[in-house]
Amino acid sequence: MSASSSPALADAKQPTTEHEGAFLTPSSHAQGLSHIDIDAVTEKRLLRKLDRRVVSILFLLYLVAFLDRSNIGNAQTAGMGKDLGFDDGHYQVGSQTCRSLGEGYMLTTPQWLLTIFYIPYIIFEWAALMWKICPPHIWAFLTVMVWGLAATLQAAAFSWEGLMVCRWFLAMAEGAFAPGVPFLLSFFYRRAELGFRCGIFVSAAPLATTFAGALAFGITSGHPSISNWRLLFLVEGLPTIILACVVFFVLPDSPDTASFLTEEEKEVARARAVLQTGREGKDRIGGFSMKEALATFNLFKSPQTIIQPLMYFSCNVSFASLPVFLPAILTTMGYSSINAQGLTAPPYFLSFLVCLATTYMADKTQQRGLIIIILSIIGGVGYVLLATVKSVAVRYLGVFLAAAGVFPCIANILSWVLNNQGTDTKRGVGIAMLNIIGQCGPILGTRVFPVTDQPYYVRGMAICAAFMFFNGLLAALLRTFFVYENARLDKAERANQAGGSDGKAARSGLVEIEGAVGYRYVL
């Protein structure tokens, strides 16, 4: 049966219709939709194909994005500042100035070149909604191409001002791409599947950090005919331009229109979309409900709209500071700068594994709040050790705990936002709000390690620890609210059933959330 004739959107009073792989039977449901029984074998095959195509390409894009945004420090170490004649004013923010820690290692990267990245990145967070308004393959192509060109053109810069312009467009395009990807994934995966895929996507960041230093060292250690730092920007920027062309052809706009799926798999994809939103997947692109968007800001009914962005802000304070200052922290433990770069890899690789494990566990148990609380405590304890202990071995253990807490926390927060907003528009607004507020965290995070606090950076470590514990507290409060709301919904649903109410009556009562009878918050 073709997509256009799918009874998933037809009147609920139609007789039962059998799809290839999906069975639709009449029952009360939001918007007159029917209960959908999906063939498990076909669905597993569908998910495997989506993972191979959609998740893989998005993971790869985020990995190169993280390399492109973070290589400015490696370029500085390779002589960029010397070649372009930077003075202290280009580095200085407040009293913090670049200083050498020996063997060519810089304690801080060019601060204004870091700061300029976050300004457009925050300004263009709203563009997460474009994944719904614009066909995803086109939006991905445009954003990836712009940041790929900006990253590559840094190699042609002959002044500080030129680099600043490149960094602006790099951040603008990345801000329009990466923060909205979890929202895009919600078009392809249901609630119990989404967290693990978000975890795979976010895990590209710690994985990239694992080998970024070694890759940069390999690129810049030779003697090419052009400056080593220019070669670094070229080698890491050009693949992004190639990937922009690839994503235009391989990224589907929705699962039910994906060319790599069979007709049977597309029917299952349509049925899954109806279960999730009441509409087929292709109909979810190209529209935006202002009424639903405004309803998202009702903080009394949806406190998650502000609490989860505050959680994201808290994590981002630590998330932003750890990659920038971890090599310096390890150097102050007595390691050479080269060994310090190498010692950053094991904590980040552990973080990569924990990202995958915790998001998978949260999907299976539907207890994402508890996972976030545990991860927040682990990260907070790590920072406490770094702030209070002088033993090298214990401080290195603290680095492991901090990395294993911070990055996985962010992966789980992203999917928790999407889990508990009941329509595509609200999910888009929720993820945009999350990033607009949350991405202000790095501005603070990159300012809490002044050189005057070396070698132990007690103040910075204490601030990061406090924010991680604050994140755990917010998660506990929000989870308590969700427990209370689920209990109210259970009570209302039992009352409707006892009164003999049909689906239509139930939808007008308390149990009606986003048009779906039986909807419950993910705890």
Side-chain angles (χ1 to χ4, degrees):
M1 181 174 293
S2 66
S4 60
S5 60
S6 170
L9 298 177
D11 189 274
K13 294 181 179 179
Q14 286 185 350
T16 301
T17 305
E18 181 175 323
H19 284 246
E20 298 170 294
F23 299 91
L24 308 181
T25 58
S27 71
S28 62
H29 196 272
Q31 301 177 21
L33 299 177
S34 55
H35 172 71
I36 302 177
D37 184 17
I38 297 174
D39 179 66
V41 175
T42 306
E43 186 175 31
K44 286 182 179 179
R45 188 167 66 246
L46 166 69
L47 289 175
R48 284 196 299 269
K49 289 187 176 182
L50 290 177
D51 289 343
R52 285 197 298 266
R53 177 67 66 94
V54 178
V55 177
S56 296
I57 188 65
L58 293 175
F59 173 87
L60 185 59
L61 288 171
Y62 193 45
L63 188 145
V64 297
F66 212 81
L67 292 175
D68 288 337
R69 78 171 67 169
S70 60
N71 59 13
I72 191 75
N74 301 112
Q76 175 64 20
T77 302
M80 178 183 67
K82 181 180 178 181
D83 289 351
L84 299 185
F86 289 168
D87 58 36
D88 285 347
H90 297 114
Y91 297 91
Q92 190 168 336
V93 177
S95 62
Q96 187 164 338
T97 306
C98 268
R99 298 184 184 180
S100 174
L101 274 178
E103 297 188 37
Y105 178 75
M106 284 292 190
L107 175 64
T108 62
T109 52
Q111 289 297 314
W112 276 114
L113 290 175
L114 288 176
T115 302
I116 194 63
F117 182 88
Y118 293 111
I119 296 173
Y121 200 90
I122 293 169
I123 291 174
F124 286 91
E125 298 285 2
W126 62 268
L129 296 171
M130 291 300 295
W131 290 108
K132 178 171 172 58
I133 298 171
C134 180
H137 78 284
I138 295 176
W139 185 247
F141 167 75
L142 293 174
T143 54
V144 177
M145 179 60 74
V146 169
W147 104 56
L149 289 172
T152 305
L153 288 174
Q154 291 178 110
F158 286 92
S159 67
W160 177 78
E161 291 80 5
L163 276 176
M164 290 284 281
V165 171
C166 289
R167 294 287 290 177
W168 175 279
F169 282 98
L170 173 67
M172 179 186 72
E174 284 197 27
F177 173 82
V181 166
F183 178 43
L184 171 66
L185 289 172
S186 71
F187 298 158
F188 294 86
Y189 298 97
R190 297 179 64 190
R191 297 171 86 194
E193 305 158 351
L194 183 60
F196 182 54
R197 276 73 186 187
C198 287
I200 294 175
F201 173 71
V202 174
S203 70
L207 183 63
T209 311
T210 299
F211 65 84
L215 177 63
F217 179 79
I219 295 172
T220 60
S221 60
H223 301 281
S225 57
I226 63 173
S227 300
N228 283 326
W229 63 270
R230 296 186 189 276
L231 180 64
L232 175 65
F233 286 137
L234 286 173
V235 171
E236 294 191 351
L238 288 173
T240 306
I241 297 175
I242 297 172
L243 283 173
C245 300
V246 172
V247 76
F248 182 83
F249 294 103
V250 305
L251 183 67
D253 291 335
S254 66
D256 56 327
T257 60
S259 60
F260 57 89
L261 298 179
T262 66
E263 284 303 316
E264 180 183 13
E265 291 159 353
K266 289 180 181 179
E267 289 294 341
V268 171
R270 294 185 187 102
R272 284 162 51 88
V274 171
L275 275 175
Q276 189 178 13
T277 65
R279 290 182 294 173
E280 295 186 9
K282 61 183 176 58
D283 297 326
R284 299 168 69 179
I285 306 299
F288 181 80
S289 171
M290 185 58 66
K291 181 179 179 181
E292 289 184 2
L294 294 175
T296 310
F297 293 97
N298 188 332
L299 301 184
F300 294 100
K301 291 185 178 180
S302 303
Q304 66 267 32
T305 303
I306 187 63
I307 291 178
Q308 287 170 329
L310 290 176
M311 293 170 59
Y312 197 42
F313 176 92
S314 300
C315 285
N316 267 333
V317 172
S318 304
F319 175 83
S321 59
L322 195 62
V324 174
F325 296 101
L326 180 56
I329 294 166
L330 291 171
T331 302
T332 59
M333 290 182 188
Y335 298 103
S336 68
S337 60
I338 294 177
N339 288 336
Q341 289 283 2
L343 288 171
T344 63
Y348 286 128
F349 189 70
L350 173 64
S351 180
F352 165 74
L353 296 177
V354 175
C355 267
L356 299 180
T358 56
T359 51
Y360 179 82
M361 289 170 56
D363 274 354
K364 293 299 181 183
T365 62
Q366 292 294 281
Q367 292 289 335
R368 203 167 301 279
L370 285 178
I371 298 267
I372 293 173
I373 294 169
I374 294 170
L375 290 172
S376 299
I377 294 173
I378 291 173
V381 169
Y383 280 110
V384 167
L385 292 178
L386 287 168
T388 59
V389 179
K390 296 183 180 180
S391 166
V392 171
V394 177
R395 285 172 63 78
Y396 193 45
L397 171 63
V399 170
F400 274 89
L401 295 177
V406 174
F407 287 92
C409 251
I410 287 178
N412 280 281
I413 290 171
L414 288 170
S415 45
W416 209 24
V417 171
L418 297 167
N419 285 161
N420 290 319
Q421 297 285 4
T423 69
D424 283 339
T425 296
K426 288 190 174 184
R427 279 187 282 271
V429 173
I431 208 74
M433 280 285 293
L434 180 86
N435 284 286
I436 290 171
I437 295 175
Q439 288 295 347
C440 294
I443 297 177
L444 174 60
T446 54
R447 297 291 177 269
V448 297
F449 290 87
V451 293
T452 54
D453 286 354
Q454 64 175 311
Y456 297 111
Y457 300 98
V458 174
R459 178 171 54 178
M461 301 303 178
I463 290 172
C464 289
F467 271 109
M468 289 306 297
F469 289 131
F470 180 59
N471 180 68
L473 175 63
L474 290 175
L477 292 174
L478 187 58
R479 185 181 183 277
T480 301
F481 169 77
F482 288 151
V483 169
Y484 172 75
E485 286 298 302
N486 283 350
R488 285 209 305 161
L489 294 173
D490 288 339
K491 183 178 179 180
E493 190 166 292
R494 287 194 298 269
N496 283 330
Q497 292 173 348
S501 300
D502 58 14
K504 183 176 180 180
R507 288 195 298 276
S508 65
L510 182 61
V511 75
E512 164 68 7
I513 292 185
E514 313 301 343
V517 174
Y519 182 96
R520 296 293 184 272
Y521 291 104
V522 173
L523 303 179

